Amino acid sequence: QKNSCVLPEDLKNFYLMTDGFQMTWSVKTDDTPMPLGSMVINSVSKLCRLGGSSMYTLPNAPTLADLEDDTDEEGNGDKPEKPHFDSRSLIFELDPCNGNGKVCLVYKHAEPVVSPDTEIWFLDRALYWHFLTKTFTAYYRLLITHLGLPQWQYAFTSYGVSPQAKQWFNMYKPITINTALLSEEADSFVNKLDPNKVFKSKNKTPVLKKKPPSQPPGSQKSHTNMTSAKTSSLAGNSSRK
């Protein structure tokens, strides 16, 4: 009511189930837990608007709208029009990203009335916008699949994640950080397990007994002649006696 806008249906259903979301996980190095992953969705009370107030308490201090770079090309080709910090857009912070930037819920058409259409954008530390998803549900899936790894939002920028963050990606999310390799070699990350070898039958193959080699017909005839000769000689000797 304060900002005259309505939450998108999927985000409203999310807040009806839980007032925000925060999950962190750690890795153990030298038997010492080290915080690594962080997944955050601000609660309704922390869903603060960006761009309306001054960044400093000094008089005549610049606002985000004053620091906005208007030289960016908008709506060229397939690139969506970027948000604005002035009254043309309403921007709310969903995730502070541990100081690496901000994930924002953006109402891009706020004049003359606020449009119900929203998008999810990432604002880096240099105040450049990077499109993430069209819906909160799609962003939530991205958040979960990237495991909340440090600086994972920079994977959707033109300059990518830092070398340190890339090491964590190679360890816990190698397919995401090696998408070019995946497109070139489709079988790089495919499980090449051969079920025929894993579930090979353990039944022993019966051993076939070898048949004795058959003798040629000529050798059989000679063996018969020799036997008959021996028999006749034995008969002659017995008659002489």
Side-chain angles (χ1 to χ4, degrees), residues 9-226:
E9 195 66 24
D10 53 357
L11 183 57
K12 183 173 71 173
N13 292 334
F14 174 82
Y15 280 125
L16 288 175
M17 291 187 296
T18 176
D19 188 13
F21 169 74
Q22 182 174 5
M23 179 179 178
T24 58
W25 57 277
S26 305
V27 294
K28 184 176 288 187
T29 57
D30 296 332
D31 296 330
T32 302
M34 182 185 72
L36 182 62
S38 177
M39 293 174 274
V40 176
I41 302 294
N42 282 339
S43 62
V44 176
S45 61
K46 294 182 180 180
L47 206 61
C48 303
R49 182 182 175 185
L50 299 182
S53 59
S54 174
M55 299 177 59
Y56 308 98
T57 57
L58 299 174
N60 299 323
T63 63
L64 287 174
D66 297 326
L67 299 176
E68 183 177 359
D69 185 8
D70 291 331
T71 60
D72 292 344
E73 297 181 357
E74 301 176 0
N76 290 340
D78 297 333
K79 296 181 179 180
E81 179 184 356
K82 70 179 183 64
H84 299 278
F85 290 113
D86 55 20
S87 58
R88 287 175 289 178
S89 303
L90 287 178
I91 305 169
F92 298 93
E93 180 185 317
L94 283 176
D95 182 2
C97 303
N98 291 325
N100 294 314
K102 295 180 184 295
V103 174
C104 300
L105 174 71
V106 178
Y107 295 81
K108 291 172 61 176
H109 304 288
E111 292 181 345
V113 293
V114 179
S115 171
D117 298 330
T118 59
E119 294 175 346
I120 308 297
W121 286 71
F122 174 62
L123 179 66
D124 65 20
R125 298 185 64 178
L127 301 183
Y128 286 103
W129 288 104
H130 308 277
F131 176 76
L132 293 180
T133 62
K134 285 186 171 294
T135 64
F136 171 77
T137 301
Y139 167 74
Y140 190 74
R141 290 172 179 168
L142 280 182
L143 176 65
I144 299 299
T145 54
H146 284 81
L147 308 176
L149 288 169
Q151 305 176 18
W152 71 265
Q153 296 88 355
Y154 282 88
F156 294 87
T157 66
S158 58
Y159 29 88
V161 299
S162 65
Q164 182 181 4
K166 188 175 292 186
Q167 293 180 3
W168 293 118
F169 269 85
N170 286 327
M171 184 176 297
Y172 294 103
K173 207 73 173 63
I175 296 180
T176 301
I177 205 65
N178 294 292
T179 52
L181 178 62
L182 184 62
S183 60
E184 294 175 2
E185 302 178 11
D187 296 335
S188 298
F189 300 96
V190 176
N191 189 351
K192 297 181 180 180
L193 183 66
D194 187 357
N196 296 324
K197 294 182 179 180
V198 175
F199 302 103
K200 187 176 181 180
S201 176
K202 295 183 179 180
N203 297 331
K204 294 183 179 180
T205 305
V207 179
L208 299 178
K209 294 183 180 180
K210 295 183 178 180
K211 295 182 179 181
S214 58
Q215 296 179 353
S219 62
Q220 290 181 358
K221 289 182 179 179
S222 61
H223 180 70
T224 304
N225 295 334
M226 291 175 64

